[in-house]
Amino acid sequence: MTTKAVVCREPGKPWEVTELELDPPKANEVRIKIYAAGLCHSDDHIQKGDAPMRMPVVGGHEGAGVIDAVGPGVTRVEIGDHVVASFIPVCGRCRYCSSGRQNLCDDGKNAGIGVLQDGTFRFHKDGEDYGGLCVLGTFTRYSVVSESSVIKIAKDIPFEVACLVGCGVPTGWGSAVRAAGVRAGQTVVIFGAGGVGSNAVQGAAMAGAERVVVVDPVGFKREMAPTFGATHTFATAEEAFEFVRGVTWGELADHAIITVGVLNDEVIHDAINIVGKSGQVTITAVGPGMIKENPGPLIGFQRRIQGNIYGACNPLTDVPRLLSMYKSGKLKLDELVTRTYTLDQVNEGYQDMLDGKNIRGVVLIDHE
């Protein structure tokens, strides 16, 4: 079959709408009819060339839709199921899956290539193979993926919010709850309040943090932050530091979580500087930032620096859990969606993101 898709042919070139040939699913693969896809900053990093990726590639790694076809041997889902696409597949068999660390599944090894587990591609045009970003490619009407990359969800969940639980929501929420391990009564500082950062705010608030402090230069994001549980907001790290030092009597923060759009040296330094003794800096960002610190303050204060992917969440259990909290009114997902776009407007959507206009933009995919 053919499918309308948004692709990047080489780093630095705009996203391009085209028609691709799509192979049917092979063994242990499924075809998703995609209805919504999130505009995550990671895709922009790929398009800009900040992060390596085999080209050409179908963009998008946040998606939700309906299983349209299944290959031989598929047991996780069946035709007609509503699903969220997980940017980290979960095989359930490797060392990491079997020890409760599904976010580190070995099947995630092809994320930067976009090739399926058998080493072949499903998207093609004029004899050329197109990968799917994170072995998904959700900026398209249809995509063929491994059954390990889909999670069944309830049919009453709107696709435009369900798609966000494939990446941005668990990555942010888990950064606070899982990777940082925020506890009741603590002080947490979150650098960057976009699609991931807003969910880190929700996670810290739900974990019982006494103070959830947001640092973001964009006024719109600071205005939105209290919606998700922020107790205080500041435009600069300097303002936040003075506040935190004052309210903690000089002890400083228990946690700093970095969820900025582009990781840089300065924000790493600011995050390390704002945590006190036994404090942890959790890095959930992509970019050229380097850790250039004298080890003395790290050693003397016993500070920790923790990297994480997918918020250290377990997709098969945490995605349904997050959606259950959404249905019960405890997790805000509708409020994350600032604007919606068509497949033809992906470049516009990313420009709005870069201009600070969106918490999260979502592509609604037309099947007429």
Side-chain angles (χ1 to χ4, degrees):
M1 66 181 295
T2 60
T3 182
K4 182 178 181 180
V6 178
V7 306
C8 186
R9 297 185 185 279
E10 58 181 280
K13 294 295 180 68
W15 295 103
E16 176 186 333
V17 179
T18 189
E19 291 284 332
L20 297 179
E21 301 164 8
L22 181 63
D23 295 338
K26 296 183 180 181
N28 305 116
E29 296 174 0
V30 300
R31 186 170 69 213
I32 312 174
K33 187 177 184 180
I34 299 175
Y35 284 94
L39 293 169
C40 181
H41 205 135
S42 297
D43 300 85
D44 186 68
H45 284 298
I46 297 296
Q47 183 264 323
K48 295 290 192 301
D50 299 334
M53 178 82 203
R54 177 198 175 277
M55 300 284 179
V57 63
V58 178
H61 66 281
E62 288 184 341
V66 178
I67 297 297
D68 179 68
V70 299
V74 170
T75 59
R76 187 169 293 180
V77 291
E78 59 186 25
I79 293 173
D81 283 346
H82 288 209
V83 296
V84 166
S86 172
F87 84 94
I88 296 289
V90 179
C91 74
R93 302 178 303 274
C94 70
R95 168 189 175 187
Y96 303 98
C97 285
S98 61
S99 57
R101 294 172 288 173
Q102 296 174 358
N103 65 310
L104 299 176
C105 177
D106 281 341
D107 278 359
K109 62 184 179 296
N110 293 330
I113 304 171
V115 66
L116 274 292
Q117 295 300 322
D118 68 351
T120 63
F121 297 88
R122 300 295 171 267
F123 293 109
H124 317 278
K125 184 172 183 177
D126 299 328
E128 186 174 24
D129 294 326
Y130 284 65
L133 204 149
C134 291
V135 202
L136 292 174
T138 59
F139 294 165
T140 175
R141 287 176 172 163
Y142 294 89
S143 187
V144 170
V145 305
S146 168
E147 68 170 326
S148 298
S149 295
V150 295
I151 301 165
K152 183 178 177 179
I153 63 171
K155 292 186 177 180
D156 60 348
I157 302 291
F159 290 122
E160 60 266 28
V161 296
C163 68
L164 305 181
V165 186
C167 173
V169 175
T171 296
W173 182 86
S175 292
V177 177
R178 298 276 189 259
V182 173
R183 300 176 67 180
Q186 293 187 324
T187 296
V188 182
V189 182
I190 295 165
F191 292 84
V196 173
S198 294
N199 288 293
V201 170
Q202 294 203 79
M206 292 175 69
E210 180 181 356
R211 304 177 190 91
V212 182
V213 181
V214 162
V215 181
D216 199 301
V218 179
F220 166 65
K221 294 180 181 179
R222 294 198 305 275
E223 291 170 9
M224 288 294 295
T227 301
F228 303 106
T231 58
H232 304 82
T233 65
F234 298 95
T236 68
E238 291 77 13
E239 294 172 297
F241 179 84
E242 292 303 322
F243 168 77
V244 170
R245 181 169 63 177
V247 296
T248 63
W249 293 17
E251 291 183 353
L252 300 178
D254 300 286
H255 293 279
I257 302 173
I258 303 176
T259 52
V260 295
V262 181
L263 185 65
N264 58 73
D265 297 3
E266 183 178 2
V267 73
I268 295 173
H269 172 78
D270 291 337
I272 293 172
N273 195 46
I274 209 167
V275 297
K277 293 179 180 179
S278 194
Q280 177 170 314
V281 175
T282 302
I283 301 178
T284 308
V286 177
M290 300 291 287
I291 301 172
K292 300 178 180 179
E293 298 290 327
N294 185 312
L298 295 177
I299 296 168
F301 275 25
Q302 201 169 295
R303 289 162 164 155
R304 302 182 303 280
I305 300 175
Q306 173 70 56
N308 92 95
I309 187 168
Y310 215 130
C313 285
N314 287 321
L316 289 184
T317 56
D318 283 324
V319 166
R321 177 179 287 116
L322 290 165
L323 289 174
S324 178
M325 289 191 291
Y326 162 71
K327 290 177 68 175
S328 67
K330 296 179 180 178
L331 185 71
K332 297 181 184 297
L333 297 185
D334 297 299
E335 293 83 354
L336 294 169
V337 183
T338 313
R339 291 176 177 82
T340 60
Y341 305 87
T342 66
L343 282 174
D344 299 296
Q345 296 174 315
V346 166
N347 286 303
E348 177 185 335
Y350 274 116
Q351 191 58 54
D352 284 346
M353 181 198 71
L354 295 171
D355 290 341
K357 295 179 180 180
N358 289 347
I359 298 299
R360 194 54 128 211
V362 170
V363 177
L364 299 180
I365 300 174
D366 183 8
H367 284 275
E368 293 183 0

